Amino acid sequence: MNTHTPASTTAAGSPRGRRLRAAAAAAATVALACTGLAALPSAASAAGEGLVVQYRTSAGGATADQSEPWLKVRNSGSASVPLSSVKVRYYFKADSASAAYRFACSWAVKGCANITGTFGTLASPTATADRYLEIGFTPGAGSLAPGADTGDMQLRFYQASWQTLTQSDDYSFGAGRSSYGDWPKVTAQVGGATVWGEAPAGNGPTDPTDPTDPPTDPPADGPRLFDDFNYSGHTDPKIAQHGWSVRSNSGGPGVPGATWAPQNVTFASQSGNSVMNLETSTAGTAASTVQTEVLTQATKFRNGTYAARVKFSDAPRSGPDGDRLVQTFFTINDLKAPMADDYAEYDFEYLPNGGWGEPANILYTTSWETYRPDPWEAVNAHSESRQSYAGWHDLVVTIDNSTITYHVDGQPFGTHGSAYLPERPMSINFNQWLIDLQGQTSTTPRSYDQQVDYVLHVKDQVLTPAQVNAMVGAYRSAGTTFQDTVPAS
């Protein structure tokens, strides 16, 4: 295991106990430049918003090589709706318990690059639905004015094995729908509240007008960190002024002998919104392997809400696929001694090509109590989902005095108990690295991208995913790209 000085030295194992992670840290701590910012305006609730989903299919047979739900979303309300707050669900019956599915966008007025598709499992399966395809939108999709619609979204999904699928028993499928029409068997949510359609029996959300529901508007006060990653490049002095370090020091995790390259962390505008890109590349040797990491210089974050919008990738930007890649958003502090009980780490880790004994894509969330590197011993809890998570995802983890709770795209993903609560503050990190070089042995160069839209931490407050979306939307409406009022630990 490699260590880093003078900052913290940390390592952790995979949920299966097959990896060591040595978290990067800055060589020196730079004081945060916290400037006075205008007060954050309160965000509007989704209660007054209305949407209509229209549906047609271009594959109307009882069976098909792929299902083709074409959709339009229309704003039937009186206020503009940012599409990044909208989720649309198409419900279907899996062809087998082990079936895996892939999403694709053939064409869209809003641009396929601005549309995401992920699959989930229903809490209460029915005879016509046990899975769903959830359609989301990046900030680049813009907003829908009252009366406007998205235009065509020509979408499709298919079995990863390319076996014929049966769609005649799918809840949302309409065999005769050869032209667009309102379709309540597809649901739409704004900020987590359902505003159109009806889910299969037993899977409907709590009525958003129920007074017991948590409010959509986020708390108006409390220390917080928000960063929209609006920087010119890895040498932008504002990165250090805002408390971030772009890693250059050697060491784990990943391929021994690999380097960590600040120049591979870049920033670009996507439809007027700045996005951070972490590029990891290799040509099949340790010397050619370049990994990337961005982390806070301060370890001052403990209980509260952590959120980020992250784009995972299943395929390389260029070159052959197959490397055992790890794409992450996590918090961590240093292990002061083997099995020290004040260690803490909370991970979102996506493996697009498997690894750690997994044969294919899998998303882990893991809460760490402690570990011993040699001989290996780990104390952690994890949750996992074996499916593709390619595309943009809203990742939220909350920590209070009893529970760690993970959400993905507004839905519960994992809950871990009080044994894994943090005893000390942590840093906030994003990195992309290779477990080893065995997944793809080619010497042809290839590179992978992980993108980050924003990060948010609210100290000592547990927010719902809807409240996170509202808070981020309020920052952007105010034109605020950075704020840090979290005190030093």
Side-chain angles (χ1 to χ4, degrees):
M1 182 180 70
N2 297 288
T3 59
H4 318 297
T5 56
S8 63
T9 301
T10 42
S14 77
R16 300 300 175 100
R18 287 187 170 92
R19 66 153 168 106
L20 298 180
R21 177 184 5 240
T29 299
V30 178
L32 295 177
C34 298
T35 57
L37 296 172
L40 182 68
S42 62
S45 167
E49 297 161 347
L51 297 178
V52 172
V53 179
Q54 295 189 321
Y55 161 83
R56 60 158 294 191
T57 181
S58 62
T63 62
D65 290 336
Q66 52 189 347
S67 185
E68 298 186 43
W70 292 13
L71 303 173
K72 288 183 182 180
V73 179
R74 178 169 57 86
N75 183 356
S76 60
S78 58
S80 181
V81 177
L83 280 169
S84 60
S85 69
V86 174
K87 302 291 186 185
V88 176
R89 286 188 177 182
Y90 179 96
Y91 302 90
F92 65 98
K93 182 75 171 179
D95 292 86
S96 68
S98 61
Y101 293 87
R102 298 289 184 267
F103 165 78
C105 172
S106 298
W107 184 81
V109 172
K110 289 292 185 180
C112 283
N114 292 317
I115 297 173
T116 64
T118 58
F119 296 94
T121 302
L122 289 179
S124 302
T126 71
T128 59
D130 54 13
R131 309 274 186 98
Y132 59 83
L133 167 64
E134 182 170 272
I135 303 302
F137 301 87
T138 74
S143 297
L144 282 184
D149 65 47
T150 59
D152 271 351
M153 295 187 289
Q154 297 181 8
L155 313 177
R156 54 192 172 90
F157 66 93
Y158 53 91
Q159 291 202 66
S161 63
W162 276 108
Q163 294 182 14
T164 299
L165 55 78
T166 299
Q167 55 181 359
S168 57
D169 60 352
D170 292 347
Y171 176 84
S172 296
F173 175 66
R177 306 292 299 195
S178 59
S179 60
Y180 279 111
D182 296 357
W183 195 241
K185 289 190 173 184
V186 174
T187 60
Q189 295 180 336
V190 177
T194 299
V195 295
W196 170 263
E198 184 176 350
N203 293 278
T206 303
D207 183 349
T209 63
D210 190 321
T212 63
D213 288 350
T216 299
D217 290 347
D221 54 7
R224 63 188 67 166
L225 165 70
F226 172 75
D227 202 328
D228 213 15
F229 295 112
N230 190 13
Y231 301 109
S232 61
H234 75 280
T235 60
D236 190 330
K238 290 191 299 182
I239 293 177
Q241 292 168 7
H242 291 171
W244 294 100
S245 174
V246 183
R247 182 177 178 178
S248 61
N249 57 303
S250 63
V255 175
T259 58
W260 297 82
Q263 66 270 21
N264 282 21
V265 177
T266 57
F267 303 86
S269 177
Q270 294 187 4
S271 302
N273 182 57
S274 182
V275 172
M276 178 172 68
N277 189 79
L278 284 70
E279 177 187 348
T280 293
S281 60
T282 188
T285 65
S288 67
T289 301
V290 179
Q291 305 176 140
T292 43
E293 182 164 26
V294 175
L295 65 155
T296 60
Q297 298 173 21
T299 52
K300 63 176 184 176
F301 308 97
R302 190 174 171 183
N303 286 16
T305 299
Y306 300 83
R309 185 167 173 81
V310 177
K311 185 178 184 180
F312 297 129
S313 301
D314 274 355
R317 182 174 63 186
S318 61
D321 196 3
D323 289 292
R324 293 169 181 164
L325 189 71
V326 184
Q327 300 178 318
T328 76
F329 165 44
F330 64 102
T331 68
I332 195 170
N333 60 28
D334 58 322
L335 182 73
K336 294 186 176 298
M339 302 302 287
D341 61 5
D342 62 350
Y343 175 74
E345 180 180 353
Y346 305 95
D347 302 331
F348 288 93
E349 294 175 307
Y350 181 55
L351 282 60
N353 293 315
W356 302 327
E358 292 290 334
N361 38 27
I362 186 169
L363 177 65
Y364 286 112
T365 60
T366 310
S367 301
W368 286 87
E369 170 58 18
T370 190
Y371 71 98
R372 182 200 317 277
D374 188 20
W376 179 253
E377 183 179 358
V379 181
N380 63 35
H382 73 274
S383 304
E384 74 246 352
S385 177
R386 292 174 176 82
Q387 65 180 63
S388 171
Y389 280 87
W392 285 101
H393 297 282
D394 297 317
L395 310 178
V396 178
V397 57
T398 61
I399 305 172
D400 59 21
N401 291 324
S402 63
T403 307
I404 303 104
T405 303
Y406 297 86
H407 284 81
V408 176
D409 297 327
Q411 301 302 310
F413 190 92
T415 300
H416 304 152
S418 60
Y420 308 99
L421 293 173
E423 290 84 6
R424 291 188 290 118
M426 302 168 288
S427 62
I428 297 175
N429 306 53
F430 299 90
N431 67 14
Q432 182 180 224
W433 50 281
L434 297 174
I435 296 173
D436 54 38
L437 297 173
Q438 304 308 308
Q440 171 57 264
T441 58
S442 170
T443 57
T444 301
R446 57 269 189 189
S447 61
Y448 299 84
D449 290 334
Q450 174 187 340
Q451 295 183 340
V452 183
D453 182 13
Y454 72 83
V455 67
L456 173 72
H457 170 67
V458 181
K459 178 179 170 62
D460 296 331
Q461 293 182 6
V462 172
L463 303 187
T464 66
Q467 288 175 320
V468 167
N469 290 339
M471 184 174 286
V472 172
Y475 272 117
R476 288 178 165 168
S477 295
T480 301
T481 60
F482 175 78
Q483 182 184 41
D484 186 1
T485 59
V486 180
S489 59

